Amino acid sequence: MAKVIFSGGLRALTGAESVELEAARVVDLVAALYARFPVLEGKLEQASVAIDGTLYNDARYQKLRPASEVHFLAPLAGG
Amino acid sequence: MSNPNERKFKVVGTRPIRHDGLDKVTGRANYGADLSLPGMLHGVILRSPHAHAVIKKIDLSKALAMPGVRAIVTGADFPEIGSGGMAAGESHIDPKDLQANIMARGKVLYHGHAIAAVAASTIEQARDACNMITVDYEVLKPVLSLAQALAKDAPILHPGRKTVGVPPLPEGDTNIMMRLANAKGDVDAAFKSADVVAEGWYEASMAHQGYIEPHATVVTTRENGQADVWCSTQGQFAVKSMIAVTLQIDPNLIRVTPSEIGGGFGGKTTIYLEPVALLLSRKARRPVKMVMSREEVFRATGPTSGTRIWAKIGAKKDGTFVAADTRMEFEAGGFAGSPMGAASMTVFASYNFPSFRLEGLDIVVNKPKVAAYRAPGAPNAAYAIESVIDELAQKLAMDPIELRLKNAVKEGDTASYGPKFDRIGFVECLNAAKNHPHYKAPLGKNQGRGVGAGFWFNVGLQSSATVSINDDGSAVVRTGNPDIGGSRASMAITAAEELGISVERVRPLVGDTDSVGYCDLTGGSRVTYATGMAVIEASKNVIEHLRARAATIWGCEVDAVEWRDGQAVGTNGASNNKPLSLADIAKQMGHTGGPIIASASVNPPAAGPGFGVHLCDIEIDPETGRSTVLRYTVVQDAGKAVHPSYVEGQLQGGAAQGIGWALWEEYLFDKDGKMENPGFLDYRMPVASDLPMLDTVVVEVPNPLHPYGVRGVGETPIVPPLATVGNAVSRAIGVRMHQLPMTPPRVLDAIETKKG
């Protein structure tokens, strides 16, 4: 089960600190999150994603380990 | 991935002369304003004389009758588009706001906001025609500060627009466009357990990126709708996307060629002129050139946010941090979208805070819409938090580096923004600063030493590269990233390292959107890291071709050919063949299958967290408040410096910009919102004579995500200087400074106030 840790706005929206869900890839995890928390619908597509400490600007099809720790973050940018 | 610690490099880490250097120092390089086309018209923009007004009517009749005038466009010539996010390379923008910033529709939101544009045979004719455009305004009261924007009776820039973000959100009309919040642990209880607390408000003025080259473009259109765009940009593919969305045209019709770029620092990750020139060209059926004046650059292109940040930290007697709290208010300019989000992710990222709380507000004001500026948002956040840490060190009577070392994040620690850090070099940077001769140098009367640290994520994003072999054995490496900080040299070094040839035998090219594979922007400190990875992969693919060609020449299986030190070496039955150099194989390309060329593309994870530690010694003239920077040292983890000179240059450049931001640079507005200092005579950027030699220490803690260990380096060096200089001034005069820039009058005022 991948563990999603919520912070900031996502914690406020879901009312949860974290959730564990079955998902093989980030895209599957996002679908599972939308099913569990309909309030998140459409809010995660542009997020940067940290998987086990590695930050991805686009992680849609990244694979997850059974115990992956996942954070959804504001899109990373720069100058 | 091979362990970068074990690899012995031959070219990486050397300091060859940059391939584009000769053209740049001899004036041959073509910048945005250098292109001219036959029959070309000149475009000029009419800009708003008001900071906040409703456009009631625009009368073009007199202007259209002026000599030489071929076309005029206003906001009415742009298609109606809806709000929503669009990916523009590394950033996400609202296309409706982007379009409205390029050309006002219905309302002007800052002094200098574009109202109309004229294309005429000469610049003078275009300017004269602009003066004949009559605009009927209903002038509104401007909002010129964060305090004004948040006042109960504040004029509202965008009536009806709701705040987004984390509740509780303001109800009704507001100038707060976004609210972010995050927290960990019981902050109030943690502060009660603290032995020492320091806190304060820290303000920074709106400041400009200050690139030397103004925005410039030439656009030509054809009857079939195709458009060729030349411009000074940090990303030709992003320009293409943004033109397409703001004009609602097929991106396939647009070809964008980046010129040489005379600086950008994030400010050229967006567009201002290109869609306007395209519309003018389409109307006039002639090429149109538009070049901003310096005044236009200041008045109407992205500065970075003015900010007001309150920060508070509690610590135990031994210096261990127990809690932190902050409220960050960021000016966005006329449209939503300050870098407050990044600031909220970086503000606590360098240290282990068992509990913290933060609130961030994105606030619109009647000033130019802000744009990215090196590590957007992070310098402002670091200014506040690193100043409070310095005050805490004074209260604890602790060495400021020791205090930071006690609380610094390291591998395995959880970042305040969520995930755990992989291999990072913050502690190594702090130790390098502590052991540097600068830190031990004696200080004289009226002198102070400041310490500051900073963090930036560095991004990855999409890159591609093509490597081709010439018949003389030289190579060409083509990418789609404008060379803003020496990336041609780093791409050539990377290809040379992989192919085993000298860097002088590699020609690095930057292509247009039709001639190279897609690359995200040059920005986010990503090019040497991400595009470099594409070059590595493309070079490896070329080597596979070279092995196959050698096998053809020798009449053996490709498995019997290895690539060692720039030549094909036979093994397993082919070892009696004399090794073939790249040039040997290239000579026979035609006999062995034709040209040798290979491409690769990547979309790697973020470029590895970057940490820096700065030291600054300042002397204050107590009679005038004038600051003199005596010594400045930048220590930064680069992972692996591909071209050390350009890494050092990035470190020095970031520090110089940050010193200017701290001491001199600020937007000054009159009571009506007109910028009073839109030129380099009055907007005081540092020049060489203002600064001592900026010393650098490049720490190399390899990034495990890159084959060479490379980290992004371009943005981190601007994060620490605001606080570093602030801490130096504060220690020199014995008064904590809370407002940037620390101009002589402000410093003198602090000295006088202290005297009572």
Side-chain angles (χ1 to χ4, degrees):
Chain A
M1 299 259 273
K3 183 176 185 181
V4 181
I5 299 180
F6 296 121
S7 62
L10 295 181
R11 191 188 304 157
L13 283 170
T14 60
E17 297 267 333
S18 65
V19 64
E20 293 191 8
L21 294 165
E22 287 289 353
R25 301 174 302 166
V26 171
V27 65
D28 307 318
L29 183 64
V30 169
L33 282 166
Y34 288 170
R36 175 73 68 89
F37 303 104
V39 69
L40 294 181
E41 185 77 38
K43 293 188 171 12
L44 301 178
E45 274 74 13
Q46 293 186 339
S48 295
V49 182
I51 305 169
D52 300 322
T54 300
L55 269 170
Y56 296 85
N57 281 82
D58 184 345
R60 182 170 302 180
Y61 299 112
Q62 288 294 327
K63 291 178 181 170
L64 299 171
R65 294 185 301 109
S68 279
E69 182 180 299
V70 181
H71 299 256
F72 289 89
L73 307 169
L76 293 180
Chain B
M1 191 172 289
S2 63
N3 184 348
N5 284 317
E6 296 170 358
R7 184 160 177 174
K8 302 294 179 200
F9 296 104
K10 291 190 170 174
V11 191
V12 168
T14 63
R15 301 171 186 252
I17 294 171
R18 63 194 301 162
H19 297 67
D20 48 314
L22 183 65
D23 280 356
K24 285 180 173 167
V25 298
T26 56
R28 293 188 183 96
N30 287 311
Y31 290 86
D34 288 331
L35 180 72
S36 291
L37 296 175
M40 189 178 76
L41 304 175
H42 296 269
V44 171
I45 287 185
L46 174 70
R47 298 187 179 278
S48 170
H50 306 292
H52 196 191
V54 173
I55 303 170
K56 299 180 77 174
K57 186 181 174 189
I58 302 176
D59 183 352
L60 305 177
S61 56
K62 290 179 186 169
L64 283 166
M66 293 287 286
V69 172
R70 299 300 187 104
I72 301 180
V73 299
T74 67
D77 291 283
F78 284 75
E80 290 280 355
I81 55 176
S83 288
M86 83 168 269
E90 59 182 320
S91 52
H92 295 268
I93 54 178
D94 184 323
K96 189 177 179 71
D97 283 354
L98 175 67
Q99 187 197 62
N101 191 41
I102 290 166
M103 191 64 73
R105 297 175 73 128
K107 199 174 184 191
V108 293
L109 293 165
Y110 53 90
H111 182 277
H113 199 163
I115 300 289
V118 177
S121 299
T122 68
I123 292 176
E124 293 74 19
Q125 288 172 332
R127 285 183 187 141
D128 289 345
C130 274
N131 290 333
M132 298 307 290
I133 296 173
T134 307
V135 186
D136 185 10
Y137 295 100
E138 177 191 345
V139 179
L140 305 173
K141 187 178 176 186
V143 175
L144 298 174
S145 69
L146 290 162
Q148 288 176 15
L150 296 174
K152 275 189 177 174
D153 58 347
I156 300 299
L157 273 69
H158 300 282
R161 190 156 170 172
K162 302 296 181 195
T163 313
V164 296
V166 182
L169 300 176
E171 292 182 1
D173 282 345
T174 174
N175 290 315
I176 299 173
M177 297 288 101
M178 178 182 274
R179 177 183 182 273
L180 291 182
N182 199 5
K184 174 185 170 187
D186 187 339
V187 178
D188 295 326
F191 271 115
K192 282 180 186 167
S193 74
D195 296 317
V196 184
V197 172
E199 65 184 297
W201 279 97
Y202 290 87
E203 295 182 34
S205 169
M206 183 169 264
H208 201 273
Q209 294 85 344
Y211 30 83
I212 300 301
E213 183 203 19
H215 298 262
T217 189
V218 176
V219 178
T220 185
T221 53
R222 300 190 184 87
E223 290 74 7
N224 62 5
Q226 288 182 339
D228 282 310
V229 180
W230 293 264
C231 59
S232 177
T233 178
Q234 290 179 237
Q236 59 271 47
F237 289 93
V239 170
K240 177 175 168 166
S241 303
M242 288 188 274
I243 292 173
V245 75
T246 53
L247 297 181
Q248 295 290 289
I249 57 178
D250 181 354
N252 183 48
L253 295 171
I254 305 165
R255 178 183 190 179
V256 181
T257 304
S259 66
E260 284 299 339
I261 180 167
F265 310 109
K268 290 179 184 168
T269 58
T270 188
I271 57 170
Y272 301 97
L273 298 174
E274 292 80 1
V276 181
L278 194 151
L279 288 177
L280 288 169
S281 173
R282 196 190 270 170
K283 272 192 174 183
R285 299 188 173 189
R286 301 268 287 271
V288 173
K289 181 178 195 170
M290 302 184 80
V291 181
M292 283 195 189
S293 65
R294 178 62 54 191
E295 181 173 335
E296 287 181 291
V297 172
F298 272 114
R299 292 197 192 286
T301 72
T304 193
S305 299
T307 53
R308 197 169 67 160
I309 300 176
W310 172 78
K312 177 180 178 182
I313 298 175
K316 291 291 189 185
K317 281 178 188 166
D318 67 354
T320 304
F321 295 161
V322 296
D325 199 357
T326 188
R327 174 186 163 96
M328 300 186 288
E329 300 170 358
F330 272 68
E331 292 179 340
F335 298 92
S338 71
M340 175 272 294
S344 71
M345 290 169 72
T346 61
V347 64
F348 298 140
S350 298
Y351 304 100
N352 288 306
F353 291 104
S355 63
F356 65 79
R357 178 169 54 209
L358 70 84
E359 178 185 31
L361 302 176
D362 178 47
I363 299 165
V364 286
V365 293
N366 291 116
K367 297 181 181 179
K369 165 74 178 80
V370 303
Y373 182 16
R374 275 179 121 153
N380 308 63
Y383 169 48
I385 209 74
E386 293 285 324
S387 297
V388 172
I389 288 173
D390 194 60
E391 188 176 347
L392 207 54
Q394 289 178 309
K395 286 187 171 184
L396 289 162
M398 267 186 87
D399 176 274
I401 292 183
E402 292 295 344
L403 178 59
R404 287 170 172 84
L405 275 168
K406 193 164 194 66
N407 296 283
V409 289
K410 54 189 179 304
E411 183 176 357
D413 286 342
T414 299
S416 59
Y417 55 85
K420 285 186 170 61
F421 283 114
D422 202 332
R423 188 80 178 91
I424 53 173
F426 188 29
V427 169
E428 287 82 350
C429 288
L430 285 164
N431 281 322
K434 188 174 74 172
N435 295 322
H436 195 279
H438 179 159
Y439 202 55
K440 300 176 176 72
L443 288 169
K445 191 179 176 188
N446 300 318
Q447 296 178 3
R449 174 164 300 146
V451 175
F455 157 82
W456 186 246
F457 308 96
N458 305 314
V459 301
L461 295 171
Q462 302 175 79
S463 285
S464 59
T466 299
V467 175
S468 54
I469 303 300
N470 297 318
D471 58 6
D472 65 350
S474 62
V476 176
V477 56
R478 259 184 230 94
T479 69
N481 283 114
D483 181 357
I484 201 166
S487 58
R488 280 192 188 89
S490 59
M491 296 305 103
I493 286 172
T494 300
E497 182 72 44
E498 295 300 321
L499 296 173
I501 58 178
S502 74
V503 70
E504 290 78 16
R505 300 283 289 165
V506 181
R507 182 181 288 264
L509 297 179
V510 178
D512 63 65
T513 52
D514 283 4
S515 65
V516 292
Y518 182 86
C519 281
D520 277 319
L521 289 158
T522 296
S525 307
R526 63 170 225 93
V527 175
T528 297
Y529 167 80
T531 308
M533 287 171 84
V535 172
I536 291 171
E537 293 305 313
S539 301
K540 285 180 174 172
N541 292 339
V542 162
I543 288 169
E544 291 308 303
H545 285 291
L546 294 168
R547 288 176 60 225
R549 302 304 175 91
T552 300
I553 294 168
W554 289 336
C556 67
E557 295 298 318
V558 70
D559 289 347
V561 183
E562 289 186 1
W563 191 258
R564 286 188 217 147
D565 298 328
Q567 53 186 7
V569 178
T571 61
N572 299 332
S575 56
N576 56 338
N577 293 295
K578 185 184 171 191
L580 292 169
S581 69
L582 197 158
D584 295 332
I585 298 170
K587 269 183 210 163
Q588 299 206 57
M589 284 195 302
H591 303 304
T592 59
I596 297 172
I597 182 167
S599 299
S601 58
V602 299
N603 188 5
F611 288 88
V613 178
H614 291 203
L615 305 173
C616 175
D617 292 357
I618 279 206
E619 181 169 323
I620 303 295
D621 181 341
E623 301 293 322
T624 64
R626 181 176 188 269
S627 304
T628 302
V629 181
L630 303 173
R631 296 181 204 90
Y632 201 99
T633 302
V634 183
V635 182
Q636 187 174 316
D637 175 20
K640 176 66 189 173
V642 172
H643 191 307
S645 296
Y646 297 147
V647 172
E648 290 159 2
Q650 291 281 3
L651 271 50
Q652 291 169 319
Q657 286 186 305
I659 292 167
W661 196 349
L663 291 177
W664 303 300
E665 295 180 40
E666 66 180 322
Y667 268 55
L668 298 170
F669 294 93
D670 70 11
K671 64 178 177 52
D672 297 318
K674 179 181 179 183
M675 186 186 181
E676 294 187 302
N677 56 337
F680 282 141
L681 279 178
D682 299 312
Y683 182 91
R684 180 75 166 83
M685 289 183 71
V687 297
S689 58
D690 289 317
L691 301 174
M693 179 63 187
L694 304 173
D695 199 1
T696 59
V697 178
V698 179
V699 172
E700 293 187 326
V701 176
N703 176 8
L705 297 172
H706 187 279
Y708 302 164
V710 167
R711 295 179 193 274
V713 297
E715 293 172 286
T716 300
I718 204 172
V719 182
L722 279 58
T724 306
V725 176
N727 293 338
V729 172
S730 298
R731 285 176 180 254
I733 64 174
V735 182
R736 179 62 47 186
M737 295 295 290
H738 291 268
Q739 187 175 6
L740 302 184
M742 294 172 291
T743 55
R746 285 187 181 133
V747 173
L748 198 57
D749 185 55
I751 294 170
E752 296 298 327
T753 303
K754 179 189 171 192
K755 283 180 186 168

